[in-house]
Amino acid sequence: MTASSSCSSSHPGLNLGAAHGQAHEDAEPVMFGFWIFLMSDLVTFAMFFAVYATSLQATAGGPGNADIVDVTSIALQTGALLVSSLLFGIATVAMKHGSAARTVILWLLASLALGLCFLGLELRDFIVAAEKGAVPMRSGYLSAFWALVGLHGLHVAVGSVMICVLCAQIAIFGFASDVKTRLLRLGLYWHFLDIIWIGIFSIVFLPGLLT
């Protein structure tokens, strides 16, 4: 196996590996720690999903799932988030294959733009729901709905800020080893939010779309 192929199998998306011995070794504990963080975050979301599932009937006569789900908006949000994740992956591959920093930054900014579109649509949906009286204080169901969907939106907002920070770091420091590992970790985080969104779409929104 060549050094190049060994590098690819060790850290897809990174140029670390056998040819970058110390940097490769330094990345191992950092990546492991980040996976632990993601798993702990997954447990947090699982608890919010569980609370939502047990609150489905707790509408207290207020708006339910079908009353607050906007099919068009949910479709646009899903498309924006998934394409944003794809663009982030392209940025990672571009870095791996030696593209210029400017090119990688442009891909990241494109990914960020779609992430912000997602947030804008979600914020609009929350405003519309509030205008219908579907506020968190109205019922146990709405409290669980706002908490779960809002928690995911908060994660996307944090990720958007981190993309801005990462773009600045690439522009200033180039592709230093620690910047590369930050790009990979942020990519994992961004893709992780896709998985959570698919769960929200399937458990929260899909039942409302089918009724």
Side-chain angles (χ1 to χ4, degrees), residues 81-144:
L81 198 61
L82 294 181
V83 175
S84 173
S85 186
L86 172 64
L87 295 178
F88 200 112
I90 292 174
T92 305
V93 172
M95 180 192 70
K96 176 182 177 66
H97 291 283
S99 295
R102 180 180 178 183
T103 302
V104 175
I105 290 174
L106 288 176
W107 283 116
L108 290 175
L109 291 178
S111 177
L112 171 64
L114 287 174
L116 294 177
C117 287
F118 169 87
L119 286 175
L121 290 167
E122 188 169 77
L123 180 60
R124 190 200 63 166
D125 285 353
F126 277 139
I127 293 173
V128 171
E131 291 174 346
K132 293 179 179 178
V135 292
M137 301 76 75
R138 180 66 181 80
S139 67
Y141 166 76
L142 289 171
S143 295

Side-chain angles (χ1 to χ4, degrees), residues 39-199:
M39 293 305 101
S40 64
D41 212 20
L42 181 62
V43 172
T44 300
F45 273 106
M47 291 189 292
F48 278 74
F49 273 111
V51 171
Y52 177 83
T54 58
S55 304
L56 287 174
Q57 304 304 321
T59 58
N65 191 312
D67 301 313
I68 55 177
V69 173
D70 182 335
V71 177
T72 303
S73 179
I74 297 304
L76 290 174
Q77 289 177 54
T78 302
L81 198 61
L82 294 181
V83 175
S84 173
S85 186
L86 172 64
L87 295 178
F88 200 112
I90 292 174
T92 305
V93 172
M95 180 192 70
K96 176 182 177 66
H97 291 283
S99 295
R102 180 180 178 183
T103 302
V104 175
I105 290 174
L106 288 176
W107 283 116
L108 290 175
L109 291 178
S111 177
L112 171 64
L114 287 174
L116 294 177
C117 287
F118 169 87
L119 286 175
L121 290 167
E122 188 169 77
L123 180 60
R124 190 200 63 166
D125 285 353
F126 277 139
I127 293 173
V128 171
E131 291 174 346
K132 293 179 179 178
V135 292
M137 301 76 75
R138 180 66 181 80
S139 67
Y141 166 76
L142 289 171
S143 295
F145 173 87
W146 279 71
L148 175 57
V149 180
L151 180 64
H152 177 269
L154 178 62
H155 276 67
V156 175
V158 171
S160 297
V161 173
M162 294 310 298
I163 290 177
C164 294
V165 173
L166 185 61
C167 286
Q169 291 185 345
I170 293 174
I172 296 172
F173 304 112
F175 293 128
S177 295
D178 52 350
V179 174
K180 289 181 179 179
T181 56
R182 287 170 193 155
L183 179 60
L184 181 58
R185 277 178 285 164
L186 185 54
L188 289 174
Y189 177 83
W190 206 241
H191 302 318
F192 168 76
L193 295 182
D194 282 352
I195 296 173
I196 298 299
W197 179 254
I198 294 302

